[in-house]
Each structure stands twice: as structure tokens, then as C-alpha cells.
Amino acid sequence: MKKEITRRQLLGYGAVMGGTLAGGAMLGNDMAIAGKDKKTWAYHELDPAETEKLGYEGFYEGRCCFGTFKSIIGQLGDKYGAPYEDFPFEMMKYGTAGVAFWGTLCGAMNGTAAAVGLLLSGEDRDKIITSLYAWYEKTEFPIYSPPKPVHDCNMPKTSAGSVLCHRSVGKWLQASGNTFISKEKLERCARVAADAAKKAVELLNAHLHGTFKEGAISTTASSCLACHGIEKEANALSKMDCRICHGDKLPHPKR
Ligand code: HEC
Ligand code: HEC
């Protein structure tokens, strides 16, 4: 992408001109530009299939959180230049393996949510992330089958039941008989990154075209939240499927 003079350079120029008449005129102009600048993080339609491929490749470049984020924001940078291309992508590596190998939020969910958060705000952002996470909890993946896999290996599908890396990876390792440090596990997570990136872009496209419908959280969570929602008395802050930690036992042993 050919670079034009960036807005930042223009703003710098305005500062140099400060105090002069021309500088004053420039300042007014700058403010208009600065206001517009915020909107340049807008989403432009992306191809889900292309994003899926980039998610897979991005995983091998910098793992789950980095790869999924870059498959969206980096792709916008390749197509539309600034400000997307100026993002410090390297920082997204913090999310690897549930944040610095803590096994908390799956990096593919962290990276895609960060991309959504950069492009949208408020309810729109939260509804898309909720739909993405609800999809992740219940979907059997990996779905993506790369034409030229980095590691061509047996690839069972498992549903994570949770957005937590710990459980998502753990269930797949049990089903496949692999270990965390195996190349098979890397390949699995690369394909999950592809799936997540594709799903995020499908949701963003639907939002762009006004056809987006919020995905439902698990029936367990919604039944428990009837009493435990954040605005209720016995409140618990979560939209996660409660079963994975609290089990299925209802009614409560003691209430
Ligand atoms: C009909 C309303 C209702 C539903 C539905 C409900 N809860 Fe509760 N829950 C309560 C109330 C009220 C308390 C507080 C009880 C107390 O103080 O003894 C509670 C307490 C709890 C506690 C605290 C420990 C305990 O056992 O007392 C946990 C954990 C819990 N609920 C989990 C869940 C989960 C998981 C679900 C869904 C599978 C669920 N609840 C569904 C009303 C409900
Ligand atoms: C990742 C595991 C996990 C998930 C998922 C989870 N919880 Fe919990 N929850 C816990 C733990 C751990 C505690 C603390 C238990 C303790 O202190 O004995 C807890 C405590 C609670 C309590 C007791 C009050 C409190 O806040 O400490 C309630 C009520 C509760 N959870 C409801 C829910 C509901 C409803 C859901 C689903 C929407 C849910 N939890 C999902 C792990 C989880």
C-alpha cells in the first residue's frame, strides 16, 4: 500500500506552524482531521476465507492471540494502510496460551475480542464478543483444514465448553492423546485460531450489513443467571457455562 502523508505528520506540521496565522488556520483543520482520525479504525468488509487462512498463518508467526488479531487488523492494514498498519502487533503476544501461559482466556478469543474492541464500541462490541464466545463454547473444532498444513496429523474435533484455554486445550489433549508441548497441539490451536478469526469476521460482516443477530449464551448459564444475574441478589459475574466448574446439580444442595 502506497503511503500518503499520515495525519500524524500533518499534526506535527501544524505544531511547527503554531503561533502564525497559517498555524491558526492549520489548527482548525487539524481538529477536523483529528476528529475524523478516530473513525478511521472503522471496519471494512473482509473475506472470511482469507481471514481464516491468515489466522492459521498468524498463529505460526506469533501464536493464538497475536495471530487472530493480526488476521483482522493486519489485513485491514494491508488493504487500507493507516491507522491499522501502525498498530504495535507485537504486544498481542501477551495473550499466548491463555495469557502468558496462565491457561485463562483462550488467546484466539482474546485476540478476536481485542480486534472487535478496536473497531466497535459499546453494546455493538459486547454483543459481537458474546456471540463469538457463545459460539466458541459449543462448537466442535478445529473446523479449518489447511490445504498445506504445517503439521499433517490426526485432528479430532472437540467442543471446549469454555472460553478458558486450560479447558479447551485440555479436552482436546484428552481426546487426541497428545501433550501440551506436541506439534499436534500447536497445529490444533493454529486451526482453532483460523476458525475464530473466520467467525469474528463473519459476525463483523453481518454487523456491517445490518443482519447481525446476537448468539445465545449456554442454556445452563441463562437458567442459572435467572437468579444469579449481575442485577440479582445472589449475583455472580459470568456468562460462562456454569457447569464446567459447578456441575449440573440443581436445585442447590442448600438454599
Ligand atoms: C431459583 C433461583 C436460582 C437458580 C435457578 C440458581 N440459583 Fe444458585 N443460588 C440461589 C440463591 C438464592 C443462592 C443463595 C443461597 C444461600 O445464600 O444459601 C444461591 C447460591 C448459589 C451458590 C453458592 C453456594 C451454594 O450452593 O449455596 C452457587 C455456587 C450457585 N448458587 C450456583 C448456581 C448454579 C451453577 C446454577 C445453575 C446451574 C444456579 N445456582 C441456579 C438461587 C438460584
Ligand atoms: C471457571 C470456573 C467457574 C465458572 C465457569 C463459574 N463459576 Fe461460579 N464459582 C467458581 C468458583 C471457584 C467459586 C468460588 C467457590 C468457593 O469459594 O467455594 C464460584 C462461586 C460462585 C458463587 C458463590 C458466590 C460467589 O460469587 O462467590 C455463585 C453464586 C456462582 N459461583 C455462580 C456461578 C454461575 C451462575 C455461573 C455461570 C453463569 C458460574 N458461577 C460459573 C467457579 C466458576
Side-chain angles (χ1 to χ4, degrees):
M1 173 113 199
K2 213 178 100 209
K3 272 204 188 164
E4 294 165 9
I5 302 173
T6 67
R7 298 195 172 84
R8 220 169 286 149
Q9 282 167 318
L10 267 177
L11 286 168
Y13 183 59
V16 170
M17 300 282 284
T20 67
L21 196 63
M26 192 74 193
L27 199 66
N29 213 359
D30 282 350
M31 279 158 80
I33 292 167
K36 208 177 152 210
D37 213 3
K38 284 189 191 140
K39 287 191 192 137
T40 59
W41 289 103
Y43 179 65
H44 300 267
E45 183 159 12
L46 294 175
D47 176 19
E50 172 71 6
T51 311
E52 174 182 59
K53 185 173 156 281
L54 290 171
Y56 179 77
E57 292 167 359
F59 176 92
Y60 279 111
E61 188 191 339
R63 298 295 180 250
C64 42
C65 184
F66 172 94
T68 49
F69 182 84
K70 201 179 167 202
S71 73
I72 301 171
I73 305 300
Q75 191 185 168
L76 287 169
D78 291 342
K79 295 191 162 84
Y80 302 97
Y84 316 96
E85 65 181 358
D86 296 330
F87 192 91
F89 292 100
E90 197 66 17
M91 72 156 280
M92 298 310 291
K93 291 184 180 171
Y94 79 89
T96 300
V99 183
F101 293 84
W102 269 70
T104 65
L105 179 59
C106 164
M109 289 295 98
N110 200 339
T112 45
V116 172
L118 194 55
L119 301 166
L120 297 172
S121 58
E123 272 198 4
D124 289 345
R125 172 199 59 218
D126 290 356
K127 283 181 178 173
I128 288 183
I129 294 172
T130 292
S131 306
L132 188 63
Y133 282 24
W135 164 85
Y136 183 96
E137 273 191 341
K138 64 174 185 244
T139 302
E140 300 222 324
F141 46 58
I143 301 162
Y144 182 56
S145 180
K148 285 187 198 138
V150 175
H151 299 298
D152 200 357
C153 53
N154 180 36
M155 192 57 61
K157 289 181 170 46
T158 48
S159 73
S162 170
V163 291
L164 299 176
C165 164
H166 180 70
R167 162 117 166 154
S168 178
V169 171
K171 275 190 84 179
W172 188 83
L173 293 182
Q174 278 169 19
S176 68
N178 289 299
T179 60
F180 188 83
I181 52 162
S182 61
K183 61 182 183 351
E184 286 86 354
K185 184 266 165 196
L186 279 186
E187 180 67 19
R188 177 265 181 188
C189 287
R191 296 185 191 191
V192 171
D195 295 341
K198 180 184 184 202
K199 183 67 185 180
V201 153
E202 284 170 355
L203 293 168
L204 286 164
N205 287 347
H207 179 264
L208 192 67
H209 295 301
T211 55
F212 168 75
K213 282 199 192 72
E214 190 177 1
I217 60 168
S218 67
T219 49
T220 324
S222 52
S223 73
C224 306
L225 291 177
C227 298
H228 291 290
I230 46 176
E231 75 287 4
K232 310 279 176 184
E233 203 182 326
N235 58 11
L237 180 63
S238 181
K239 286 186 193 169
M240 295 187 284
D241 187 331
C242 323
R243 267 176 310 189
I244 65 154
C245 302
H246 290 289
D248 272 326
K249 288 197 194 86
L250 255 185
H252 292 279
K254 174 171 86 72
R255 186 156 68 235

